Amino acid sequence: MIERLDDSFANVDPQEAYRAALDAGIVVHRIDPLNGETPLEALRDELTPNARFYVRNHFGIPNLDASSWRLHVGGLVQNRLELTLNDLQNIPAHERVATLECAGNGRASLEPQVAGEPWRFGAVSAAQWTGVPLVEVLDRAGIKAQACELVFRGADRGQLHEGGDTIYFERSLSVETARSCGALLAYAMNGEPLPPVHGYPLRVVVPGWYAMASVKWLTEIEAVSRPFTGHYQSDTYFFEAERDGRVVREPARLQRVRSLILEPAPRVQVARGELVVRGVAWSGAAPIVSVEVSVSGGPWQKARCNGQAAPGALTSWEAIVRVDGSGEASLRARATDQTGATQPETPPWNRLGYGNNAVHEVRVQAS
Ligand SMILES: Nc1nc2c(c(=O)[nH]1)N[C@H]1C(S)=C(S)[C@@H](COP(=O)(O)O)O[C@H]1N2
Ligand SMILES: [Mo]
C-alpha cells in the first residue's frame, strides 16, 4: 500500500449533509453515514439533478481540499504517478452518461427480509459525468504484466465495529475490465464539480456496473498481483446461492435489467378508461429493447420507448392502457434488454439482498 500522505482531513458535518438531503427531497434511511434514495419523480428526466441523486455512504463524508488532494497510482506500475486535480483537468476531458444503481436497490421488498439498508426503488440515479478515461491514466502509469487487478481506494474510513481496525472503502477491478469497461475518473457531475457527498474531488464511474465499483473520494489506484480480498470486495457485494448443498458466491457486477413505473404514483385515484403509464428502464448489460405493461394481471402490452436515450442513460417509456372497472387496479412493468434478459415476476431472494430486479408493481384506485 502506498503511504498515506494526508489523512488529516475532517468530515462534512453530518447534520448539515442530512438537512441538505432532506431539503432536496431525498428519502433518508440513515443520517450518519448518510444514506438516502432519490424521490422517484426525480427520475422522470434523463439526468437526475445532483441534489436529488441517491446517496450511499459506508462512512462519514470526507471534506477534501482539492489543493492538497492527490491521486496516487502505484503498485505494479512502470511509473508511479501523483496527480493533482489540475493535472487531470489538463488531460482532454471525456463526457458520458451513466446510471448508478446500488446493488441493494429493491432490497426492502425481499421476503423473508434481509439485513442491510432497506432500499425501496430509489437507489438509482443517472448523471452526465466528465473526467479522464481510466485507461489514459493506466497507460501513463504503465501497468506491469504481473498485475492482475487494480485496487481503487477512497479517502473515507472507519471501523466496522467499535474498537475494530480502521478500514477504507476499497474495491478492485481486473486489469482487463478496467481497460475495457469505459470507466471514467470523473471530477464533474451534470456539469458541476462533484458534490462532496458524491466523491469530491474525484470518483471512478464504472458504467453499467452496480455502483459499489464507482469508488468516491478516490485517492489511490494500486496495481496488485493477486485478487484483492478487502472487506467490500470479499465480505459483501456477491450473490449467494446454494447449489447441490454447497454455498456458491457470484460477485455482483452488471446492473440487471429493470424498469420502474413513475406515473401514476402508488395509491392515487385514477379515472376509469384510458390511463397513461410512464416510467424508466435501464440495464447494465445492453440497451433496452422493450418495455411492457400489464393491468391487473392482464396481457402484457407494449410501451413506447424513447429510442433517443444516450447509451447508459435511463430509457423513458410510456404506455396508454385501459383500466376498466372501479376499485384497486394493479399496474406492472417489465423491461427486456438486447441480450434477451428480462425481469422476473418474483424478487430473486439472496442472503445479502442484491439485484432485486423483479417486475415493478404500482396499485392505484380507479373510480
Ligand atoms: N469511497 C466510497 N465509494 C463508494 C461508496 C462508499 O461508501 N465510499 N459507496 C459505494 C456504493 S455501495 C454505491 S451504491 C455508490 C453510491 O454513489 P452515490 O452516493 O454517488 O450515489 O458509491 C459507491 N462508492
Ligand atoms: Mo451500493
Side-chain angles (χ1 to χ4, degrees), residues 7 26 44 54 87 95 113 125-126 223 244 276 285 308 327 346 350:
D7 242 1
I26 297 275
R44 281 183 201 161
Y54 85 95
D87 293 336
E95 287 198 334
Q113 292 232 317
S125 298
D244 310 324
V276 182
Q308 304 301 309
T346 48
N350 55 95

Side-chain angles (χ1 to χ4, degrees), residues 153-298:
R153 204 160 276 137
D156 52 330
R157 73 280 199 238
Q159 287 91 29
L160 294 175
H161 1 257
E162 239 181 77
D165 291 340
T166 294
I167 62 164
Y168 290 80
F169 186 86
E170 305 167 306
R171 287 278 311 178
S172 72
L173 291 174
S174 72
V175 173
E176 201 187 332
T177 299
R179 288 192 164 282
S180 62
C181 67
L184 271 191
L185 298 174
Y187 46 75
M189 177 177 182
N190 294 327
E192 291 163 22
L194 287 182
V197 71
H198 295 295
Y200 181 86
L202 191 78
R203 82 180 299 170
V204 193
V205 172
V206 184
W209 279 56
Y210 283 118
M212 69 279 154
S214 295
V215 176
K216 304 191 275 189
W217 310 290
L218 187 68
T219 57
E220 295 177 23
I221 302 175
E222 187 181 354
V224 296
S225 62
R226 273 183 217 178
F228 178 63
T229 57
H231 175 73
Y232 296 104
Q233 194 76 29
S234 303
D235 301 340
T236 60
Y237 300 115
F238 51 82
F239 297 105
E240 193 177 277
E242 225 180 273
R243 252 172 247 142
D244 310 324
R246 280 191 334 137
V247 173
V248 290
R249 292 175 165 193
E250 177 67 30
R253 292 196 182 95
L254 297 180
Q255 297 159 21
R256 291 175 171 173
V257 61
R258 181 164 207 173
S259 55
L260 292 177
I261 297 171
L262 304 180
E263 231 184 290
R267 295 178 295 280
V268 297
Q269 297 275 347
V270 302
R272 272 188 294 167
E274 280 195 347
L275 177 69
V276 182
V277 184
R278 292 197 178 90
V280 288
W282 69 96
S283 161
I288 295 296
V289 292
S290 81
V291 176
E292 301 154 290
V293 176
S294 158
V295 181
S296 298

Side-chain angles (χ1 to χ4, degrees), residues 54 56 58 101-104 211-212 237:
Y54 85 95
R56 192 342 175 193
H58 292 79
E101 182 186 18
C102 185
M212 69 279 154
Y237 300 115

